[in-house]
Amino acid sequence: MKPHNRPVTESLRQQRIRRAESLATQYPFASQILSFYIQIARFQQDLYGRLEARSAAVSPTSGPPELPELLSSFPKFLALIEKQAPAPLAEIARDLSHAPSNSWSDLLNNVWSSPGELSDQPTDPAEFLAVAFLQPYAEFVRSRVPLQLEGYSHALCPFCSRKPALAVLRPLGDGARRNLLCGFCLCEWEFRRIVCPGCDEKDHAKLPVYTAEQFPYIRVECCDTCRTYLKSIDLSKNGLADPLVDELASIPLDLWAQERGYSKLKPNLLAM
Ligand SMILES: [Zn+2]
Ligand SMILES: [Zn+2]
């Protein structure tokens, strides 16, 4: 299996939502966050479908055909957040929905064009909302451009230059190969196993890996040099796992790592 620039198919999205539903009942500590995620994921799924339809209906020479669809979908997204999100976030969505629409395009443009550093620690909740809203669009655009993934060996996403949100171990022969996954455009690319994607540290002794009994298929890969961590979902140990969803659900691992002074290389879609 060679790395390729795959779009996330309709059935994969549905599987992901089902996985979130099942983990929400399995892990009470994650049920609230997963229920919220499911609402967002359903919205994203619809938006992706509308973007696809819009793009197919308009000839590609007439400018970015998805833009009107995006801007007209943003109020629906804000309404969803206002209704479903915890109070502080719901309030931000309400304020934004009353702001002039040119401030929306500024926000969306800023988040779209700043490759990561602005969004690394999304303390600005409006920015978090924009990232979650634009995620399916990023995926849509990424799956339509030619990307040379074979031989790509950098730690930043080859499409949007963001830091990876997590790692995935995919079965390969008797072991597993490590891929990094971008949480924004969902690009997945191969990366060496014993290298920190945050600072390029290669010294085995400075790259401790932790697991917890509760999640035997999730590794917390830490770096004692830059004090960051990312979670690695081992699909060779649990083929039912969905990397994005299982990463979100395993909140105790984040608390554990953060208590020990590690900070997450890249916060996930729910800003954790
Ligand atoms: Zn990306
Ligand atoms: Zn490091």
Side-chain angles (χ1 to χ4, degrees):
M1 221 175 71
K2 291 191 172 155
H4 63 288
N5 191 25
R6 60 189 130 200
V8 173
T9 60
E10 180 80 9
S11 66
L12 187 60
R13 285 166 198 287
Q14 273 153 5
Q15 256 177 46
R16 178 170 294 158
I17 291 173
R18 276 201 297 275
R19 177 71 177 163
E21 287 166 345
S22 127
L23 291 185
T25 51
Q26 204 177 326
Y27 302 136
F29 51 79
S31 68
Q32 212 181 355
I33 215 150
L34 288 172
S35 309
F36 180 47
Y37 168 76
I38 290 165
Q39 304 293 329
I40 293 185
R42 289 205 180 112
F43 178 91
Q44 291 179 333
Q45 180 175 18
D46 286 354
L47 178 58
Y48 194 92
R50 291 200 302 276
L51 291 170
E52 251 180 342
R54 175 72 77 137
S55 151
V58 185
S59 98
T61 49
S62 56
E66 305 86 11
L67 214 59
E69 188 60 61
L70 275 179
L71 283 174
S72 70
S73 298
F74 198 50
K76 288 178 224 162
F77 180 73
L78 293 177
L80 169 80
I81 300 294
E82 200 179 325
K83 195 167 149 225
Q84 303 286 348
L89 204 53
E91 227 163 86
I92 303 284
R94 189 162 42 243
D95 290 351
L96 263 177
S97 68
H98 295 127
S101 63
N102 62 341
S103 70
W104 300 348
S105 16
D106 286 352
L107 171 70
L108 296 177
N109 268 322
N110 280 342
V111 166
W112 180 263
S113 51
S114 71
E117 294 339 304
L118 176 79
S119 333
D120 249 9
Q121 306 296 336
T123 42
D124 177 4
E127 203 181 292
F128 151 78
L129 288 179
V131 168
F133 173 72
L134 285 171
Q135 192 274 312
Y137 182 58
E139 192 189 338
F140 174 83
V141 178
R142 187 265 305 155
S143 68
R144 274 160 182 74
V145 299
L147 276 184
Q148 181 50 47
L149 295 181
E150 229 184 311
Y152 183 84
S153 59
H154 301 284
L156 296 181
C157 171
F159 173 69
C160 71
S161 302
R162 283 172 167 80
K163 290 178 183 174
L166 63 142
V168 186
L169 295 176
R170 293 196 179 270
L172 179 74
D174 290 336
R177 179 189 76 196
R178 181 167 79 156
N179 290 350
L180 298 178
L181 184 71
C182 174
F184 189 53
C185 71
L186 305 193
C187 188
E188 190 177 318
W189 67 102
E190 208 172 335
F191 195 69
R192 285 155 300 163
R193 278 193 74 160
I194 317 289
V195 178
C196 167
C199 71
D200 215 35
E201 178 61 76
K202 296 176 185 70
D203 182 352
H204 208 280
K206 294 184 175 140
L207 300 169
V209 173
Y210 302 95
T211 50
E213 217 174 295
Q214 191 174 20
F215 306 99
Y217 62 99
I218 302 182
R219 294 153 47 98
V220 184
E221 302 184 340
C222 301
C223 173
D224 287 336
T225 302
C226 68
R227 303 297 294 169
T228 63
Y229 76 96
L230 92 170
K231 287 187 236 171
S232 180
I233 315 296
D234 191 342
L235 296 178
S236 71
K237 291 193 173 146
N238 185 344
L240 291 176
D242 177 280
L244 281 178
V245 175
D246 287 71
E247 199 282 329
L248 279 177
S250 49
I251 301 165
L253 298 179
D254 291 292
L255 301 178
W256 184 91
Q258 286 161 18
E259 266 167 25
R260 274 153 193 82
Y262 295 106
S263 55
K264 202 170 202 173
L265 187 62
K266 181 84 186 168
N268 62 30
L269 199 61
L270 299 181
M272 293 194 60

